[in-house]
Amino acid sequence: MGMLSAGLFWERRDVPGSEHVRLDARNGLYAQGVALAATPVTYSCRYEIRTDPGWATAYLDVRTEGAGWARGVRLEMAAGRWRVTTSDQGDLDAALVAAGHARAGLPGIEDPDRLFGAFDVDLGASPLTNTLPIRRLDLLSGETGLSHRLSVAWVLVPSLEVVQADQIYTPLGSGQVRYASETFAADLTVDDDGFVVDYPGLARRVEPGVRPVPESR
């Protein structure tokens, strides 16, 4: 892959943190990103995503790291099924318990066949991955109000546990798409290319040279 042609930066709104991604979206998506957050433990998350020309995810490689631990998970689509490989070093559980949180699940998924029929990945707390179904289903040109239910491979961060999740995307018109899961819903503001500008309660995009406006309290 040559020089990546675009960059996006989001500021987290729920916890201290941010995300920066470099990408090329001229023939599907290829992206390399890094996210930083201070909760539930301080960690960095580096990822690489590749889709096919129709924006169905073909590859996701993620690595999270913190003080005394590091984890990795790789999802690769092969012959219509997901292949999942993992790595685990140090003791994330010890860091979580010391910070007053519950222990984490193991990275990856015990039975990758549970992900059969999932064409998108959802990297926890990453607004970039909301773009994948928006572009794959061409929602910005689709019928307003028509909901699309889909199965995704949801990667929890920082544990990198992978679970199957059902999600609903509904185009609302005027650059808005409603995202919903079983327990949560948010109306995303996106640009003309389907990349998230504002994800209420999670993140907002920061444009080059523009100083973010502090949250009202």
Side-chain angles (χ1 to χ4, degrees), residues 38-130:
T39 300
V41 293
T42 302
Y43 69 86
S44 64
C45 172
R46 297 183 182 276
Y47 63 84
E48 181 180 9
I49 297 176
R50 183 173 65 248
T51 76
D52 67 16
W55 285 75
T57 305
Y59 176 91
L60 171 68
D61 186 82
V62 189
R63 181 173 176 86
T64 53
E65 294 182 273
W69 62 273
R71 287 186 168 195
V73 68
R74 178 177 295 171
L75 284 73
E76 298 174 277
M77 178 62 73
R81 294 183 180 275
W82 287 105
R83 181 172 59 197
V84 181
T85 55
T86 65
S87 63
D88 188 3
Q89 298 174 290
D91 195 343
L92 170 59
D93 283 345
L96 288 168
V97 170
H101 300 284
R103 297 174 182 272
L106 295 174
I109 186 171
E110 185 176 349
D111 181 8
D113 283 344
R114 294 179 185 174
L115 303 176
F116 184 78
F119 297 101
D120 308 289
V121 295
D122 182 0
L123 181 61
S126 172
L128 175 71
T129 50
N130 292 101

